[in-house]
Amino acid sequence: MAQQIPKVLVTEPIPEKNLAYLREHFIVKVGAKGEFQDENNLINAITNYDALLCMLSNPITKKVLESAQNLKIVANFAVGYNNIDVETAKTLGIKVANTPDILTEACGDFAMGLLMAVTRKFNEAEQYLREGNFSGWEPLGFLGIELRGKTLGIVGMGRIGQAFAHRARAFGMNIAYHNRSRVSPQIEDSLNATFVSTIEELAKNSDVLSLNCPLTNETHHLVNENLLKLMPSHSILINISRGPVVDEAALAYALQNKIIAGAGIDVFENEPKVHRDLLKAPNCVLLPHIASATFETREAIGMLASKAIVSVLKGEHDSNIPNLI
């Protein structure tokens, strides 16, 4: 009897180069956008698949994993894996892969652009022009703040935090950071970065507070009403990490009541929903989770996830899969 070709479920369309690579080895089904954001849809679909390539928005819960009779690997199209019940996967002998290191440069660029958009009021000024209100140069029009000499406080000095810090240094900013542990003296020296032992102290002394930390039980609602009150009234919050790190209701209140001066947000607490008060908040740039959205990065993410699937289903040794958890 001929050996069956393994089946791979890709929950949403990804770059065609990645799909072509998978189709060289397997039978591949690609879901429609948003089709598998519902747990029940995944439970009903996953039964006979050998591998799952999923998005951060797909809930890979205990029920989903237990419904997968043939599943050998879940590969996340993301650097994190907080959407996957990793412990259940381990118990069931299902490998889990993510895509570390791939997003660093794209996210560093994006964070700098997001900060510029907030501090220089790009979106507000463009809308003003498009609505036909521009009648000439105005000495008091859309005044923002300069970055040189300001302090960027980074929460989470991993690869993306460091990439943002390098770019901010080029703009003349001072770097402070809070991390679970200090980075090496070499990294601190290269960034002229100062370690701050508590998030509260960092918030008090930062002109810009950037969130670059993973979502854990400890970081859930790390930015809340109390922390926002500690921030200077002229300060800016940047979040390209995970939505639930920020209490969106508290952030909207802080912006509307001028407790802080602005925010740039790319990820949301109940994504894709955005808190209705945040949608109306002043000087708040809201973007639809696009920090890694470059052709080069998205293809690289897909290829790393796809190669993990090929390696596992082909029975290669785990050491050949650097992104395997």
Side-chain angles (χ1 to χ4, degrees), residues 113-130:
L114 186 57
L115 176 56
M116 290 293 294
V118 178
T119 56
R120 298 300 300 272
K121 305 181 186 292
F122 286 172
N123 289 8
E124 185 181 344
E126 183 187 19
Q127 183 177 359
Y128 176 84
L129 182 146
R130 287 181 179 277

Side-chain angles (χ1 to χ4, degrees), residues 103-243:
L103 291 71
T104 302
E105 298 306 321
C107 289
D109 290 348
F110 179 84
M112 200 69 231
L114 186 57
L115 176 56
M116 290 293 294
V118 178
T119 56
R120 298 300 300 272
K121 305 181 186 292
F122 286 172
N123 289 8
E124 185 181 344
E126 183 187 19
Q127 183 177 359
Y128 176 84
L129 182 146
R130 287 181 179 277
E131 290 175 351
N133 298 314
F134 179 49
S135 58
W137 182 80
E138 303 172 47
L140 299 179
F142 302 102
L143 299 181
I145 63 169
E146 294 185 9
L147 298 178
R148 181 167 296 278
K150 304 298 193 300
T151 295
L152 170 62
I154 294 178
V155 183
M157 191 61 112
R159 293 179 182 87
I160 293 173
Q162 291 172 38
F164 187 17
H166 277 292
R167 288 155 174 78
R169 285 285 297 157
F171 279 73
M173 299 189 77
N174 304 311
I175 308 300
Y177 75 96
H178 173 74
N179 212 39
R180 285 176 294 185
S181 57
R182 291 185 71 158
V183 299
S184 70
Q186 292 82 2
I187 292 174
E188 285 190 351
D189 290 345
S190 70
L191 296 170
N192 195 21
T194 302
F195 176 70
V196 179
S197 59
T198 68
I199 180 68
E200 290 80 12
E201 183 182 354
L202 188 70
K204 287 179 184 177
N205 295 290
S206 295
D207 301 295
V208 178
L209 188 66
S210 175
L211 305 177
N212 301 94
C213 53
L215 175 61
T216 65
N217 291 334
E218 291 73 29
T219 62
H220 183 268
H221 280 192
L222 181 69
V223 176
N224 53 27
E225 179 183 359
N226 293 333
L227 193 77
L228 288 161
K229 286 180 178 178
L230 295 177
M231 295 172 65
S233 59
H234 66 268
S235 64
I236 304 293
L237 179 72
I238 299 292
N239 187 16
I240 65 168
S241 61
R242 291 289 178 261

Side-chain angles (χ1 to χ4, degrees), residues 5 18 43 55 62 82 111 126 129-130 145 149-150 164 190 257 289 292 301-302:
I5 300 174
N18 306 145
I43 290 171
M55 310 297 129
K62 181 178 181 180
N82 50 280
E126 183 187 19
L129 182 146
R130 287 181 179 277
I145 63 169
K150 304 298 193 300
F164 187 17
S190 70
N257 291 276
H289 203 149
S292 66
I301 291 171

Side-chain angles (χ1 to χ4, degrees), residues 3-315:
Q3 186 176 4
Q4 286 191 328
I5 300 174
K7 297 178 181 179
V8 178
L9 174 61
V10 181
T11 59
E12 291 199 13
I14 61 174
E16 186 56 39
K17 181 178 179 180
N18 306 145
L19 293 174
Y21 175 74
L22 287 171
R23 286 174 177 141
E24 290 177 8
H25 305 276
F26 313 120
I27 296 170
V28 179
K29 174 179 170 55
V30 182
K33 185 181 185 303
E35 179 180 358
F36 293 110
Q37 290 182 9
D38 179 82
E39 182 187 45
N40 288 329
N41 288 353
L42 272 168
I43 290 171
N44 293 333
I46 198 63
T47 307
N48 295 316
Y49 284 97
D50 300 275
L52 175 66
L53 197 161
C54 59
M55 310 297 129
L56 197 63
S57 56
N58 302 139
I60 315 304
T61 62
K62 181 178 181 180
K63 288 182 179 179
V64 170
L65 293 168
E66 288 178 342
S67 300
Q69 298 175 7
N70 300 324
L71 196 63
K72 298 174 182 64
I73 178 172
V74 176
N76 224 19
F77 195 92
V79 68
Y81 45 88
N82 50 280
N83 59 312
I84 301 171
D85 187 334
V86 175
E87 292 306 313
T88 295
K90 288 179 180 178
T91 299
L92 296 172
I94 299 169
K95 301 293 185 181
V96 176
N98 66 345
T99 58
D101 307 338
I102 297 294
L103 291 71
T104 302
E105 298 306 321
C107 289
D109 290 348
F110 179 84
M112 200 69 231
L114 186 57
L115 176 56
M116 290 293 294
V118 178
T119 56
R120 298 300 300 272
K121 305 181 186 292
F122 286 172
N123 289 8
E124 185 181 344
E126 183 187 19
Q127 183 177 359
Y128 176 84
L129 182 146
R130 287 181 179 277
E131 290 175 351
N133 298 314
F134 179 49
S135 58
W137 182 80
E138 303 172 47
L140 299 179
F142 302 102
L143 299 181
I145 63 169
E146 294 185 9
L147 298 178
R148 181 167 296 278
K150 304 298 193 300
T151 295
L152 170 62
I154 294 178
V155 183
M157 191 61 112
R159 293 179 182 87
I160 293 173
Q162 291 172 38
F164 187 17
H166 277 292
R167 288 155 174 78
R169 285 285 297 157
F171 279 73
M173 299 189 77
N174 304 311
I175 308 300
Y177 75 96
H178 173 74
N179 212 39
R180 285 176 294 185
S181 57
R182 291 185 71 158
V183 299
S184 70
Q186 292 82 2
I187 292 174
E188 285 190 351
D189 290 345
S190 70
L191 296 170
N192 195 21
T194 302
F195 176 70
V196 179
S197 59
T198 68
I199 180 68
E200 290 80 12
E201 183 182 354
L202 188 70
K204 287 179 184 177
N205 295 290
S206 295
D207 301 295
V208 178
L209 188 66
S210 175
L211 305 177
N212 301 94
C213 53
L215 175 61
T216 65
N217 291 334
E218 291 73 29
T219 62
H220 183 268
H221 280 192
L222 181 69
V223 176
N224 53 27
E225 179 183 359
N226 293 333
L227 193 77
L228 288 161
K229 286 180 178 178
L230 295 177
M231 295 172 65
S233 59
H234 66 268
S235 64
I236 304 293
L237 179 72
I238 299 292
N239 187 16
I240 65 168
S241 61
R242 291 289 178 261
V245 174
V246 176
D247 180 339
E248 285 185 8
L251 174 58
Y253 181 88
L255 290 165
Q256 289 164 352
N257 291 276
K258 299 184 179 180
I259 294 170
I260 66 171
I265 308 295
D266 185 51
V267 287
F268 301 94
E269 191 171 356
N270 296 298
E271 206 165 296
K273 294 180 181 179
V274 181
H275 195 287
R276 61 183 182 182
D277 293 337
L278 197 58
L279 289 169
K280 298 180 288 185
N283 200 25
C284 186
V285 176
L286 305 174
L287 295 173
H289 203 149
I290 59 170
S292 66
T294 68
F295 291 108
E296 297 90 343
T297 293
R298 292 288 170 86
E299 276 196 356
I301 291 171
M303 193 56 68
L304 194 58
S306 298
K307 286 184 175 180
I309 290 172
V310 170
S311 296
V312 169
L313 295 188
K314 295 287 186 180

